[in-house]
PDB file of all heavy atoms in Angstrom:
ATOM      1  N   ILE A 404      80.138 199.466  49.083  1.00 94.00           N
ATOM      2  CA  ILE A 404      80.153 198.426  48.042  1.00 94.00           C
ATOM      3  C   ILE A 404      80.078 197.038  48.680  1.00 94.00           C
ATOM      4  O   ILE A 404      79.355 196.151  48.202  1.00 94.00           O
ATOM      5  CB  ILE A 404      81.415 198.572  47.163  1.00 94.00           C
ATOM      6  CG1 ILE A 404      81.337 199.864  46.347  1.00 94.00           C
ATOM      7  CG2 ILE A 404      81.574 197.365  46.227  1.00 94.00           C
ATOM      8  CD1 ILE A 404      82.570 200.150  45.513  1.00 94.00           C
ATOM      9  N   ASP A 405      80.820 196.835  49.769  1.00 94.00           N
ATOM     10  CA  ASP A 405      80.815 195.537  50.453  1.00 94.00           C
ATOM     11  C   ASP A 405      79.404 195.208  50.966  1.00 94.00           C
ATOM     12  O   ASP A 405      78.929 194.070  50.841  1.00 94.00           O
ATOM     13  CB  ASP A 405      81.815 195.560  51.613  1.00 94.00           C
ATOM     14  CG  ASP A 405      82.060 194.173  52.179  1.00 94.00           C
ATOM     15  OD1 ASP A 405      82.284 193.241  51.388  1.00 94.00           O
ATOM     16  OD2 ASP A 405      82.001 194.013  53.415  1.00 94.00           O
ATOM     17  N   ASN A 406      78.737 196.229  51.515  1.00 95.00           N
ATOM     18  CA  ASN A 406      77.360 196.023  52.000  1.00 95.00           C
ATOM     19  C   ASN A 406      76.418 195.671  50.854  1.00 95.00           C
ATOM     20  O   ASN A 406      75.513 194.835  51.011  1.00 95.00           O
ATOM     21  CB  ASN A 406      76.858 197.274  52.718  1.00 95.00           C
ATOM     22  CG  ASN A 406      77.537 197.489  54.057  1.00 95.00           C
ATOM     23  OD1 ASN A 406      78.095 196.553  54.637  1.00 95.00           O
ATOM     24  ND2 ASN A 406      77.525 198.723  54.554  1.00 95.00           N
ATOM     25  N   GLN A 407      76.647 196.311  49.698  1.00 93.00           N
ATOM     26  CA  GLN A 407      75.788 196.031  48.556  1.00 93.00           C
ATOM     27  C   GLN A 407      75.984 194.595  48.058  1.00 93.00           C
ATOM     28  O   GLN A 407      75.010 193.911  47.713  1.00 93.00           O
ATOM     29  CB  GLN A 407      76.081 197.023  47.423  1.00 93.00           C
ATOM     30  CG  GLN A 407      75.082 196.972  46.278  1.00 93.00           C
ATOM     31  CD  GLN A 407      73.699 197.479  46.676  1.00 93.00           C
ATOM     32  OE1 GLN A 407      73.528 198.061  47.752  1.00 93.00           O
ATOM     33  NE2 GLN A 407      72.712 197.261  45.819  1.00 93.00           N
ATOM     34  N   ILE A 408      77.240 194.151  48.021  1.00 93.00           N
ATOM     35  CA  ILE A 408      77.518 192.766  47.607  1.00 93.00           C
ATOM     36  C   ILE A 408      76.840 191.781  48.555  1.00 93.00           C
ATOM     37  O   ILE A 408      76.193 190.808  48.134  1.00 93.00           O
ATOM     38  CB  ILE A 408      79.042 192.518  47.555  1.00 93.00           C
ATOM     39  CG1 ILE A 408      79.679 193.310  46.405  1.00 93.00           C
ATOM     40  CG2 ILE A 408      79.336 191.020  47.383  1.00 93.00           C
ATOM     41  CD1 ILE A 408      81.192 193.274  46.394  1.00 93.00           C
ATOM     42  N   GLN A 409      76.975 192.050  49.867  1.00 94.00           N
ATOM     43  CA  GLN A 409      76.354 191.165  50.858  1.00 94.00           C
ATOM     44  C   GLN A 409      74.831 191.202  50.748  1.00 94.00           C
ATOM     45  O   GLN A 409      74.156 190.160  50.881  1.00 94.00           O
ATOM     46  CB  GLN A 409      76.783 191.567  52.269  1.00 94.00           C
ATOM     47  CG  GLN A 409      78.258 191.289  52.557  1.00 94.00           C
ATOM     48  CD  GLN A 409      78.639 191.609  53.995  1.00 94.00           C
ATOM     49  OE1 GLN A 409      77.857 191.425  54.901  1.00 94.00           O
ATOM     50  NE2 GLN A 409      79.861 192.104  54.183  1.00 94.00           N
ATOM     51  N   ALA A 410      74.274 192.394  50.500  1.00 93.00           N
ATOM     52  CA  ALA A 410      72.822 192.518  50.380  1.00 93.00           C
ATOM     53  C   ALA A 410      72.307 191.730  49.176  1.00 93.00           C
ATOM     54  O   ALA A 410      71.263 191.055  49.255  1.00 93.00           O
ATOM     55  CB  ALA A 410      72.438 193.989  50.244  1.00 93.00           C
ATOM     56  N   ILE A 411      73.060 191.797  48.066  1.00 93.00           N
ATOM     57  CA  ILE A 411      72.664 191.043  46.867  1.00 93.00           C
ATOM     58  C   ILE A 411      72.732 189.543  47.140  1.00 93.00           C
ATOM     59  O   ILE A 411      71.798 188.790  46.814  1.00 93.00           O
ATOM     60  CB  ILE A 411      73.563 191.428  45.666  1.00 93.00           C
ATOM     61  CG1 ILE A 411      73.248 192.864  45.218  1.00 93.00           C
ATOM     62  CG2 ILE A 411      73.373 190.455  44.509  1.00 93.00           C
ATOM     63  CD1 ILE A 411      74.196 193.402  44.171  1.00 93.00           C
ATOM     64  N   ASN A 412      73.846 189.098  47.757  1.00 93.00           N
ATOM     65  CA  ASN A 412      74.002 187.661  48.056  1.00 93.00           C
ATOM     66  C   ASN A 412      72.907 187.167  48.999  1.00 93.00           C
ATOM     67  O   ASN A 412      72.352 186.073  48.810  1.00 93.00           O
ATOM     68  CB  ASN A 412      75.370 187.390  48.673  1.00 93.00           C
ATOM     69  CG  ASN A 412      76.493 187.568  47.665  1.00 93.00           C
ATOM     70  OD1 ASN A 412      76.280 187.463  46.445  1.00 93.00           O
ATOM     71  ND2 ASN A 412      77.702 187.851  48.136  1.00 93.00           N
ATOM     72  N   LEU A 413      72.614 187.996  50.021  1.00 94.00           N
ATOM     73  CA  LEU A 413      71.587 187.609  50.983  1.00 94.00           C
ATOM     74  C   LEU A 413      70.216 187.543  50.311  1.00 94.00           C
ATOM     75  O   LEU A 413      69.455 186.592  50.521  1.00 94.00           O
ATOM     76  CB  LEU A 413      71.561 188.603  52.142  1.00 94.00           C
ATOM     77  CG  LEU A 413      70.483 188.368  53.217  1.00 94.00           C
ATOM     78  CD1 LEU A 413      70.665 186.998  53.861  1.00 94.00           C
ATOM     79  CD2 LEU A 413      70.501 189.470  54.263  1.00 94.00           C
ATOM     80  N   GLN A 414      69.922 188.561  49.487  1.00 92.00           N
ATOM     81  CA  GLN A 414      68.620 188.589  48.817  1.00 92.00           C
ATOM     82  C   GLN A 414      68.465 187.390  47.880  1.00 92.00           C
ATOM     83  O   GLN A 414      67.401 186.754  47.821  1.00 92.00           O
ATOM     84  CB  GLN A 414      68.467 189.890  48.029  1.00 92.00           C
ATOM     85  CG  GLN A 414      67.081 190.062  47.408  1.00 92.00           C
ATOM     86  CD  GLN A 414      65.981 190.104  48.448  1.00 92.00           C
ATOM     87  OE1 GLN A 414      66.064 190.888  49.391  1.00 92.00           O
ATOM     88  NE2 GLN A 414      64.962 189.272  48.296  1.00 92.00           N
ATOM     89  N   GLU A 415      69.527 187.061  47.132  1.00 89.00           N
ATOM     90  CA  GLU A 415      69.476 185.920  46.226  1.00 89.00           C
ATOM     91  C   GLU A 415      69.304 184.608  46.992  1.00 89.00           C
ATOM     92  O   GLU A 415      68.602 183.699  46.543  1.00 89.00           O
ATOM     93  CB  GLU A 415      70.723 185.878  45.350  1.00 89.00           C
ATOM     94  CG  GLU A 415      70.754 187.003  44.321  1.00 89.00           C
ATOM     95  CD  GLU A 415      72.010 187.019  43.478  1.00 89.00           C
ATOM     96  OE1 GLU A 415      73.022 186.420  43.906  1.00 89.00           O
ATOM     97  OE2 GLU A 415      71.986 187.632  42.398  1.00 89.00           O
ATOM     98  N   SER A 416      69.961 184.517  48.178  1.00 92.00           N
ATOM     99  CA  SER A 416      69.802 183.323  49.009  1.00 92.00           C
ATOM    100  C   SER A 416      68.379 183.211  49.541  1.00 92.00           C
ATOM    101  O   SER A 416      67.777 182.131  49.533  1.00 92.00           O
ATOM    102  CB  SER A 416      70.799 183.365  50.175  1.00 92.00           C
ATOM    103  OG  SER A 416      70.604 182.275  51.045  1.00 92.00           O
ATOM    104  N   ILE A 417      67.834 184.348  50.000  1.00 94.00           N
ATOM    105  CA  ILE A 417      66.450 184.358  50.501  1.00 94.00           C
ATOM    106  C   ILE A 417      65.482 183.985  49.383  1.00 94.00           C
ATOM    107  O   ILE A 417      64.545 183.199  49.574  1.00 94.00           O
ATOM    108  CB  ILE A 417      66.098 185.742  51.083  1.00 94.00           C
ATOM    109  CG1 ILE A 417      66.883 185.992  52.380  1.00 94.00           C
ATOM    110  CG2 ILE A 417      64.597 185.866  51.346  1.00 94.00           C
ATOM    111  CD1 ILE A 417      66.769 187.394  52.926  1.00 94.00           C
TER     112      ILE A 417
END
Side-chain angles (χ1 to χ4, degrees):
I404 292 176
D405 191 47
N406 289 340
Q407 190 68 11
I408 291 172
Q409 291 184 35
I411 290 172
N412 290 336
L413 177 60
Q414 186 61 52
E415 290 178 340
S416 176
I417 291 171

